[in-house]
């Protein structure tokens, strides 16, 4: 019975598909619209005038003065020099007070 129902459905669908009527097509009217042709290009426009110069900017504020530097520390005192010789002493052991200066002889020029 299952096959008979499926078979009858297939036969009915084929029979109805065979009875399909063709569609009647109605021709549509073709309307031609004229397309405008562009003309030649126009002349180039004149160059514009230059813009105005902008205003000058404000001058910046003067900076504040820096602080004074710290005072340097005092240097160390140098070492004391050694005591000098007492000079030539005479036969008595006391300074004779005489200074001897040796002057070289002048050289002979030829």
């Amino acid at each position: 019975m299952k096959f008979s129902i499926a078979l009858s459905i297939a036969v009915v669908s084929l029979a109805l598909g065979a009875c399909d009527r063709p569609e009647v097509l109605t021709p549509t009217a073709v309307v031609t619209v004229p397309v405008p042709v562009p003309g030649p290009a126009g002349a180039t426009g004149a160059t514009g005038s230059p813009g105005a110069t902008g205003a000058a900017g404000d001058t910046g504020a003067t900076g504040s003065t820096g602080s004074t530097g710290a005072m340097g520390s005092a240097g160390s005192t140098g070492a004391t020099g050694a005591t000098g010789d007492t000079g030539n002493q005479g036969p008595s052991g006391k300074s004779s007070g005489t200074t001897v200066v040796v002057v070289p002889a002048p050289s002979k020029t030829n």
Side-chain angles (χ1 to χ4, degrees):
M1 173 118 168
K2 289 182 183 179
F3 289 110
S4 63
I5 294 175
L7 184 62
S8 64
I9 290 175
V11 170
V12 170
S13 63
L14 286 176
L16 290 177
C19 294
D20 191 21
R21 285 198 235 155
E23 270 186 58
V24 177
L25 297 175
T26 309
T28 57
V30 177
V31 179
T32 58
V33 177
V35 177
V37 177
T44 304
T47 303
S49 60
T53 304
D58 293 336
T59 304
T62 304
S64 57
T65 306
S67 58
T68 305
M71 182 86 140
S73 59
S76 303
T77 305
T80 306
T83 305
D85 250 352
T86 57
N88 290 335
Q89 294 181 352
S92 64
K94 294 184 180 176
S95 177
S96 64
T98 311
T99 304
V100 179
V101 177
V102 178
V103 179
S107 63
K108 294 183 181 178
T109 328
N110 289 337

